Amino acid sequence: MYQVCQEGELVFLKVVIILVFAGYCAFFKRSTETLHASLGHQHAKDAFPQEGTGNLSSHRPNTGIEAATPVKYDQSDFWPVPLRTAMLIPMRRSRLKVPSGQQGLYHCMSRIVGGQFLLGPVEQKEFHRRMWHLADFFCIKIINYSLMSNHYHQFLEVPGYVVLTDEELLEKVTAYYGKGSNEAVILATAFEKGGEQTDSLRDYYLHHMGDISEYQKRLKGGFSSWYNKRKHRKGTLWMERFKSPIIEDVDSARQAVSAYIDLNPVRASLVADPKDYHYCAYAAAVAGDKRCRKGIMRVMDIDDWEAASAQYRILLVQTGSKHVDGKTGAISRELLMQTLEKGGKLSMAEILRLRIRYFSDGQVIGTEAYVEELFQLYKSQFGKRRTTGARPFKGLAPGSLFCLRDLRNAVFS
């Protein structure tokens, strides 16, 4: 009798498992079909090679990177993966960027995984080299930067449109990939012959130039490969995707972000003066780097280096013997935090001595009108209850700067 009961239970359990599995399969099929239909079948058809059609050369220009032997692809190798991922993981919000065709300023920042202090002098030097090398290729201007041992900051300017002659494009490709590289040879040959391949190659390169995401992808990915190979390690090096709040091109926003970046080593108690920190743009400018001097002149909107550096120096060294919360004298970090906790307001010069999340997580930084304008542009990415975009910096004197994201916790530290 006992054996019969056991066999009955096993049969029942098998039936339940089969039914659950069948239900999951049906649900998965309906979900994938629905999502696939929403993406558009034609989009999926055009985005990936069809089964057994050969290599990827018909969908993206041959830049010399593809393997010489055609690789067979099956459509199932491509589209189900993001669909399965979409079912299991909520889709992250797309990155906010300035409207297409407009020049834009970004404060980019990324941190080492786990906050580990992995970037020593050798690593910082290599990152510095790659940073400038890639910026030249992508037609991106580096206005300011600071390389710390566990993160980096960049103040970047991207062009609205990149327009290059064939000679200028070939020069950039040759400088980036190297003289005699496959990419340079293929592009030079295409320019000599002309035709559709020339247009395809030109469009491919120009499409990526001026793209902040492509620049950061190449920079972080290339540096990670170099670092892992050097340290005989595997896995990710960066904690998360880079942050890139949009900065309005006005004096108050440019100067606040730039000073915040240069004061990083001061806040970390590494140096008393940012000019003494080797891996920041201000120190390089003081030492005579023409690229960094142009950045400071851009920040101050002054064409003369001597005048721009004098004004920027004043901005950096403003410390306070000001009256804060009933006290006078040198303003310590503890006094600044106490003032904020009691609901007090600080000047920009005072608040820049603290770590400010607005400059990394604020999404858009600038005047109230500018932040509101971009909010209306990206309104669909926010909840239906959100009717206005501009949010003032908490703790800062009224009317100074606004941001798009309403930060609530640990805004200052």
Side-chain angles (χ1 to χ4, degrees):
M1 183 67 179
Y2 176 74
Q3 186 176 0
V4 172
C5 290
Q6 268 194 326
E7 291 178 355
E9 290 175 357
L10 288 175
V11 171
F12 176 75
L13 183 61
K14 289 179 181 179
V15 171
V16 170
I17 292 174
I18 292 172
L19 290 174
V20 170
F21 181 74
Y24 174 79
C25 290
F27 170 76
F28 175 80
K29 182 179 179 181
R30 286 195 303 271
S31 300
T32 53
E33 286 176 350
T34 302
L35 186 54
H36 194 203
S38 66
L39 293 174
H41 177 69
Q42 187 61 38
H43 172 74
K45 182 178 179 181
D46 294 339
F48 306 108
Q50 300 303 299
E51 181 176 354
T53 56
N55 59 23
L56 292 171
S57 60
S58 60
H59 298 269
R60 121 178 179 175
N62 180 8
T63 61
I65 301 175
E66 290 85 353
T69 304
V71 180
K72 298 292 183 181
Y73 292 94
D74 186 289
Q75 195 176 30
S76 62
D77 294 333
F78 291 92
W79 67 265
V81 177
L83 295 181
R84 288 198 301 270
T85 304
M87 290 176 59
L88 300 175
I89 303 175
M91 185 176 294
R92 65 185 183 186
R93 181 177 294 172
S94 61
R95 187 178 302 279
L96 300 189
K97 295 183 179 180
V98 295
S100 178
Q102 292 187 17
Q103 177 180 299
L105 301 178
Y106 295 89
H107 171 212
C108 297
M109 178 263 185
S110 193
R111 194 172 296 276
I112 295 293
V113 63
Q116 300 177 73
F117 299 91
L118 302 182
L119 306 183
V122 174
E123 290 77 21
Q124 289 171 323
K125 184 176 181 180
E126 176 64 17
F127 189 92
H128 181 270
R129 183 192 69 80
R130 290 172 177 269
M131 175 182 74
W132 283 105
H133 186 57
L134 276 165
D136 289 339
F137 177 69
F138 281 98
C139 300
I140 290 176
K141 295 180 181 178
I142 299 177
I143 298 176
N144 202 345
Y145 68 87
S146 182
L147 310 181
M148 308 297 286
S149 57
N150 67 341
H151 70 283
Y152 69 85
H153 293 266
Q154 293 175 316
F155 191 14
L156 306 177
E157 180 177 357
V158 300
Y161 289 110
V162 176
V163 180
L164 297 173
T165 64
D166 289 350
E167 291 74 16
E168 290 171 336
L169 179 57
L170 180 59
E171 183 179 343
K172 281 189 173 292
V173 171
T174 302
Y176 179 69
Y177 289 102
K179 189 175 182 180
S181 63
N182 288 339
E183 290 78 9
V185 171
I186 290 172
L187 186 62
T189 303
F191 283 158
E192 289 177 3
K193 294 181 178 180
E196 292 184 3
Q197 186 183 18
T198 304
D199 296 335
S200 179
L201 281 167
R202 185 188 296 109
D203 292 344
Y204 170 73
Y205 284 114
L206 293 180
H207 174 72
H208 292 300
M209 289 185 178
D211 188 333
I212 194 75
S213 297
E214 190 68 22
Y215 170 74
Q216 294 293 337
K217 175 184 175 182
R218 297 268 190 108
L219 177 61
K220 294 175 65 176
F223 181 79
S224 296
S225 298
W226 173 86
Y227 183 88
N228 285 351
K229 183 176 181 181
R230 183 172 181 271
K231 295 292 184 178
H232 305 289
R233 72 184 291 274
K234 296 180 180 180
T236 183
L237 180 63
W238 303 101
M239 184 181 296
E240 55 191 356
R241 67 174 184 162
F242 72 97
K243 299 177 180 179
S244 59
I246 301 170
I247 311 300
E248 185 180 5
D249 195 358
V250 294
D251 289 349
S252 58
R254 286 197 314 271
Q255 293 171 14
V257 171
S258 185
Y260 178 76
I261 291 173
D262 278 326
L263 290 172
N264 256 263
V266 177
R267 288 192 297 272
S269 301
L270 299 177
V271 293
D273 191 321
K275 71 177 177 60
D276 299 324
Y277 187 71
H278 189 60
Y279 291 103
C280 75
Y282 180 67
V286 171
D289 190 312
K290 293 182 179 179
R291 299 171 300 185
C292 295
R293 288 189 172 187
K294 288 181 179 179
I296 290 179
M297 289 189 286
R298 175 74 172 86
V299 168
M300 303 307 295
D301 196 22
I302 300 175
D303 293 333
D304 178 68
W305 161 245
E306 296 298 333
S309 62
Q311 291 296 320
Y312 191 65
R313 180 69 182 171
I314 293 173
L315 177 65
L316 288 180
V317 300
Q318 282 180 351
T319 53
S321 47
K322 299 183 180 179
H323 191 79
V324 177
D325 196 29
K327 301 180 182 180
T328 58
I331 303 172
S332 67
R333 177 185 173 280
E334 290 72 21
L335 179 57
L336 293 174
M337 292 299 294
Q338 289 174 12
T339 301
L340 291 171
E341 289 170 359
K342 293 179 180 180
K345 301 293 182 181
L346 300 177
S347 69
M348 180 60 71
E350 294 162 343
I351 215 166
L352 285 174
R353 300 177 60 196
L354 302 174
R355 181 174 177 269
I356 310 169
R357 280 186 61 209
Y358 288 122
F359 288 130
S360 58
D361 297 328
Q363 292 188 309
V364 180
I365 297 172
T367 61
E368 184 176 9
Y370 181 76
V371 176
E372 194 64 39
E373 178 185 346
L374 286 185
F375 168 72
Q376 294 300 328
L377 184 64
Y378 290 102
K379 192 173 182 179
S380 61
Q381 294 194 24
F382 298 87
K384 293 182 179 180
R385 295 183 180 180
R386 181 87 178 259
T387 57
T388 59
R391 299 290 186 268
F393 277 33
K394 297 175 183 176
L396 192 60
S400 301
L401 286 177
F402 293 80
C403 67
L404 183 57
R405 187 176 177 189
D406 189 13
L407 301 177
R408 301 177 185 273
N409 301 318
V411 177
F412 302 101
S413 59

